[in-house]
Amino acid sequence: MNKQKTTVNQAGEFSLIDRLYKILLPQKNPDLLIGLGDDTAVIRMDKQKGMLATCDIQIENRHFRLDHTNAHQLGKRAAAVNLSDIASMGGLPKFALVSLGLPPHLTIDYYDELFLGMKEELGKHSAEIIGGNLARTEKELIIDIMLLGEVDLKNLLTRRGAAVDDRIFVTGNLGNASAGFTVLERYGKNYPPEFSELVQSHLLPQALVETGKAIASSGIATSMIDISDGIASDLYHICKTNRVGAEIYQDKVPYSKQVEAVARMAGKNPMDLVLHGGEDFQLLFTVDSKVSVARIDSLNRKLCEPVIEIGRILTDKAGFFLVDPNGTQKNLEPLGWDHFRPSKNSEQKE
Amino acid sequence: MNKQKTTVNQAGEFSLIDRLYKILLPQKNPDLLIGLGDDTAVIRMDKQKGMLATCDIQIENRHFRLDHTNAHQLGKRAAAVNLSDIASMGGLPKFALVSLGLPPHLTIDYYDELFLGMKEELGKHSAEIIGGNLARTEKELIIDIMLLGEVDLKNLLTRRGAAVDDRIFVTGNLGNASAGFTVLERYGKNYPPEFSELVQSHLLPQALVETGKAIASSGIATSMIDISDGIASDLYHICKTNRVGAEIYQDKVPYSKQVEAVARMAGKNPMDLVLHGGEDFQLLFTVDSKVSVARIDSLNRKLCEPVIEIGRILTDKAGFFLVDPNGTQKNLEPLGWDHFRPSKNSEQKE
């Protein structure tokens, strides 16, 4: 392949990110505590406080479809995706900047509802929109939110910190969002009512800001990430950052009967949705193996739902596995969402 | 016109921004010193320091054309546009987040050069990229940079502060960027060499960060804005914010002989380019009429180019004027860049 002519699509998201690191690293400002490569950047404000900064661009037909959702839901969703990044650092969201690319025929009612949705979702956490920028696109609606948050530096949790033998936890059921998307793809808006919770998980994900803060301030976690690309990919990010391996116990990974039903309907293995379906926005965190049961219980008493142990950190050499119910290790591939993976319509020409 | 069906294009940028204010104001966080409606938001860090936050989305064929520029220039330009907003507050840029929407066939070399250009332009001011997000678009290249900066609160300059009788200054020649764009439209890349400075002004604008800081710390200015939409529009923003009017003296407004030549070539009045051509990224600021000549001289000694007085703030009732060389006041229209104005190709159907 001629390097000169390699396209971003052929390169894929992970290779593009690696190129970026080569260009931009090392970072120089001593006030930058965490730069590229985590859910948010962290900037030192003073001895106690850090500012978190993250952004997430959402593009029509890549991240959302206008026939699946309305403007208000879409606004809430775009905010939640960013809020989740702040949650995964143990921080609190404060201020958002919003860049919108608007196709010419979008109505002003749609525009208003988009902002009302963002305002409502941010407002749940006392965050607000403080600036932004509007532009016109030819065809696609584009929503890019930059979110600033605040964190007590003593409670900051990042991707870095997981060590061999750490226990791996998640905050709740996985696969809901991608099962919900599957339902919408199959039925459109007239989906069977038993799947409505799944559809809601896809359309209106909830950022676990309070949960993230409780985990961070419990002091028991060694690293944390939000599950945006699918647990296999997001755990792989943790492993790569810390040069460790991991195993997940298949029969411990929590998912609902509805996810199983959708998988059956779609002719898929439920584990495909559960391990590789993105955008659940649950939190994944690791805990030192020496932490007592009492301390985990104490965290659980602060949460609405108890956290669930699903695996263990291994050495880098050991590998990256799913352990099936018979105890057999199978290689686990980080097959999560690649934003440059060709969509079905364009697969052939690319 | 049926309100339900009004499109964002029919509404236009200024009406969309007004709608936004109705939805999002008032703002609540007491640490938010300046929110919507200025070049950047300002967040209190401590008693002395504020954090500045701004974003600017640039969309292919709206803000730039790939046949006019290369990737490195485009990266530098996208950074400069944001740096200028920080400059207009008297601040220093620190950290950038970059969201890119990449069309599938863009090459990785193009992608690398885009980041190298951004890095270089930010690096001139010791700012760096600390995070971001990549996504795929169907067709258009999209660059959205969110820039964080820092300002001494005692030197902060905003759009608010201009008062009746204040003198109006600009930092240099106007109309260069839109003349440069006119040249590229006419000749493509093989333009006559005498226009190369104009073309550079369009392709590689320079953010006046040091100049902005010098003006702010001189203590003589009452308000400041960067000239991104054209001086008529940007001065109008100042007037609207402060509920005042203004007059600009036509024969004081600085522009080059090349701008005159381009205007002649294009069959335009040079004042069209000078007053309404955007993206010069000069700074416009107002000065209390009682400030001594000595203090303005003292500022000028700190700058490479002396600042130029071009007009005066009037009462709101008086109006918004251009004063021609005979001393006649003519109404001045804020005709600057509306990002929702239909482009030539689509004018008819919209």
Side-chain angles (χ1 to χ4, degrees):
Chain A
M1 203 186 290
N2 182 342
K3 176 182 166 294
Q4 295 288 321
K5 298 279 177 65
T6 304
T7 66
V8 293
N9 228 39
Q10 290 164 332
E13 186 170 6
F14 297 113
S15 148
L16 291 177
I17 290 173
D18 282 343
R19 300 184 79 81
L20 199 58
Y21 290 174
K22 284 201 189 100
I23 292 170
L24 299 176
L25 296 179
Q27 307 209 280
K28 292 173 190 159
N29 192 315
D31 287 334
L32 183 67
L33 302 178
I34 306 284
L36 295 165
D38 217 307
D39 288 322
T40 79
V42 186
I43 300 160
R44 181 183 289 284
M45 308 263 287
D46 58 32
K47 277 187 184 165
Q48 284 86 39
K49 276 195 314 191
M51 175 167 277
L52 307 175
T54 182
C55 64
D56 204 278
I57 187 165
Q58 302 260 314
I59 297 181
E60 184 180 342
N61 296 331
R62 290 305 287 177
H63 303 86
F64 58 86
R65 284 177 46 170
L66 296 193
D67 57 344
H68 282 176
T69 185
N70 64 38
H72 196 261
Q73 290 170 330
L74 189 55
K76 285 170 71 81
R77 186 175 197 284
V81 167
N82 279 280
L83 289 163
S84 180
D85 283 321
I86 298 286
S88 76
M89 309 297 281
L92 291 177
K94 295 287 175 187
F95 303 108
L97 299 175
V98 178
S99 289
L100 287 187
L102 302 170
H105 298 288
L106 202 85
T107 68
I108 52 173
D109 283 359
Y110 197 98
Y111 167 88
D112 286 357
E113 283 298 324
L114 203 53
F115 271 105
L116 286 164
M118 287 189 263
K119 180 184 179 174
E120 185 177 317
E121 197 67 20
L122 291 165
K124 281 186 191 171
H125 307 283
S126 307
E128 58 188 331
I129 296 172
I130 61 167
N133 196 239
L134 303 175
R136 189 179 126 168
T137 60
E138 203 178 312
K139 217 172 112 187
E140 295 155 307
L141 173 61
I142 292 160
I143 310 172
D144 191 16
I145 301 185
M146 172 170 100
L147 190 58
L148 299 174
E150 208 176 275
V151 69
D152 275 345
L153 288 176
K154 69 177 191 303
N155 291 340
L156 174 66
L157 269 181
T158 69
R159 294 184 183 183
R160 189 170 302 278
V164 175
D165 283 337
D166 279 7
R167 297 153 70 185
I168 302 168
F169 288 80
V170 292
T171 51
N173 279 346
L174 301 176
N176 286 8
S178 63
F181 180 76
T182 307
V183 168
L184 281 171
E185 287 272 285
R186 170 105 172 210
Y187 295 101
K189 282 184 178 170
N190 300 315
Y191 50 82
E194 66 266 33
F195 295 141
S196 74
E197 200 188 316
L198 301 180
V199 170
Q200 291 304 302
S201 297
H202 168 64
L203 295 181
L204 293 171
Q206 299 297 308
L208 301 179
V209 174
E210 289 307 316
T211 304
K213 190 153 187 273
I215 294 167
S217 50
S218 75
I220 66 172
T222 53
S223 72
M224 187 151 71
I225 191 169
D226 70 326
I227 301 178
S228 54
D229 296 332
I231 191 172
S233 289
D234 290 312
L235 178 57
Y236 184 74
H237 291 320
I238 294 265
C239 289
K240 206 174 156 193
T241 302
N242 295 290
R243 300 188 182 182
V244 294
E247 59 183 12
I248 299 179
Y249 314 124
Q250 184 175 328
D251 55 6
K252 297 281 178 66
V253 181
Y255 61 96
S256 71
K257 285 205 191 315
Q258 287 97 321
V259 166
E260 210 170 338
V262 169
R264 210 178 309 121
M265 181 190 83
K268 288 185 182 174
N269 183 331
M271 292 316 278
D272 286 346
L273 300 175
V274 170
L275 297 175
H276 307 297
E279 309 204 313
D280 279 318
F281 301 112
Q282 298 287 352
L283 299 171
L284 179 155
F285 62 102
T286 53
V287 171
D288 188 303
S289 60
K290 290 181 287 293
V291 163
S292 67
V293 175
R295 289 185 70 191
I296 292 168
D297 286 347
S298 154
L299 169 63
N300 278 331
R301 279 194 297 275
K302 288 178 194 138
L303 304 178
C304 303
E305 301 280 341
V307 299
I308 300 136
E309 185 171 354
I310 60 158
R312 198 168 57 98
I313 297 293
L314 306 177
T315 63
D316 196 18
K317 271 193 187 158
F320 191 63
F321 302 110
L322 182 70
V323 181
D324 76 12
N326 302 321
T328 312
Q329 283 185 335
K330 296 176 179 175
N331 280 322
L332 183 59
E333 298 287 336
L335 295 175
W337 184 243
D338 177 345
H339 289 102
F340 290 84
R341 191 190 296 162
S343 59
K344 279 179 191 158
N345 296 339
S346 54
E347 223 151 15
Q348 288 176 322
K349 57 180 178 177
E350 287 147 11
Chain B
M1 204 187 291
N2 182 341
K3 176 181 165 292
Q4 295 288 322
K5 299 277 176 69
T6 303
T7 66
V8 292
N9 229 38
Q10 290 164 333
E13 186 170 6
F14 297 114
S15 149
L16 291 176
I17 290 174
D18 282 344
R19 301 184 78 82
L20 198 58
Y21 290 173
K22 284 200 189 100
I23 292 170
L24 299 177
L25 297 180
Q27 307 210 278
K28 292 174 190 160
N29 192 313
D31 287 334
L32 184 66
L33 302 178
I34 307 284
L36 294 166
D38 217 307
D39 289 319
T40 79
V42 186
I43 301 159
R44 183 183 288 283
M45 307 266 289
D46 57 32
K47 278 188 182 163
Q48 285 85 39
K49 275 194 315 188
M51 177 168 275
L52 308 175
T54 182
C55 63
D56 203 278
I57 187 166
Q58 302 259 314
I59 297 182
E60 184 180 342
N61 295 333
R62 290 305 287 177
H63 302 85
F64 58 85
R65 285 177 46 171
L66 296 193
D67 57 344
H68 282 175
T69 186
N70 64 40
H72 195 262
Q73 289 170 330
L74 188 55
K76 284 170 72 83
R77 186 176 196 284
V81 167
N82 280 281
L83 289 164
S84 180
D85 283 320
I86 300 285
S88 76
M89 310 296 280
L92 290 179
K94 294 287 176 190
F95 303 108
L97 299 175
V98 178
S99 288
L100 288 187
L102 302 171
H105 297 289
L106 202 84
T107 67
I108 52 173
D109 283 359
Y110 197 97
Y111 167 89
D112 286 356
E113 283 298 324
L114 204 52
F115 272 106
L116 285 165
M118 287 188 261
K119 179 184 179 176
E120 186 178 315
E121 197 67 20
L122 292 164
K124 281 186 192 172
H125 307 283
S126 307
E128 57 187 334
I129 297 171
I130 61 168
N133 196 237
L134 302 175
R136 188 178 127 168
T137 61
E138 204 176 312
K139 216 172 114 189
E140 295 155 307
L141 173 60
I142 292 159
I143 309 173
D144 192 15
I145 300 186
M146 307 188 203
L147 189 59
L148 300 173
E150 209 176 274
V151 70
D152 275 346
L153 289 176
K154 70 176 191 303
N155 292 339
L156 175 66
L157 270 181
T158 70
R159 293 185 184 183
R160 190 170 300 280
V164 175
D165 284 337
D166 278 7
R167 297 154 70 185
I168 302 167
F169 288 80
V170 292
T171 50
N173 279 346
L174 301 176
N176 286 9
S178 63
F181 180 74
T182 307
V183 168
L184 282 171
E185 288 273 282
R186 171 105 172 209
Y187 296 101
K189 282 184 178 171
N190 299 315
Y191 49 82
E194 66 264 33
F195 296 141
S196 74
E197 200 188 315
L198 302 179
V199 171
Q200 291 304 301
S201 296
H202 168 64
L203 294 181
L204 293 171
Q206 298 298 306
L208 300 179
V209 173
E210 289 307 314
T211 303
K213 191 154 187 269
I215 293 166
S217 51
S218 75
I220 65 173
T222 53
S223 71
M224 186 152 69
I225 190 168
D226 70 325
I227 302 178
S228 54
D229 295 333
I231 189 170
S233 289
D234 291 312
L235 177 57
Y236 183 75
H237 292 319
I238 293 265
C239 289
K240 205 174 157 193
T241 302
N242 295 290
R243 299 188 184 181
V244 293
E247 59 184 10
I248 298 179
Y249 313 124
Q250 184 176 326
D251 55 6
K252 296 282 178 67
V253 180
Y255 61 96
S256 71
K257 284 204 188 319
Q258 286 97 322
V259 167
E260 211 170 335
V262 169
R264 210 178 309 123
M265 181 190 83
K268 287 184 181 173
N269 183 331
M271 292 316 280
D272 287 347
L273 299 175
V274 170
L275 297 175
H276 307 297
E279 309 203 313
D280 279 319
F281 302 112
Q282 298 288 350
L283 298 171
L284 180 155
F285 62 101
T286 53
V287 172
D288 189 302
S289 59
K290 290 182 288 295
V291 163
S292 68
V293 175
R295 289 184 72 193
I296 292 169
D297 286 348
S298 155
L299 168 63
N300 277 331
R301 279 193 296 276
K302 286 178 197 139
L303 303 177
C304 302
E305 300 280 342
V307 298
I308 300 137
E309 185 171 353
I310 60 158
R312 196 167 59 100
I313 297 293
L314 307 176
T315 63
D316 197 18
K317 272 194 186 157
F320 191 63
F321 302 111
L322 183 70
V323 182
D324 76 10
N326 303 321
T328 312
Q329 282 184 334
K330 296 176 179 174
N331 280 322
L332 182 60
E333 298 288 334
L335 296 174
W337 185 243
D338 178 344
H339 290 102
F340 291 84
R341 189 189 297 161
S343 59
K344 279 181 191 159
N345 297 339
S346 54
E347 224 151 13
Q348 287 174 326
K349 58 180 179 180
E350 285 148 14

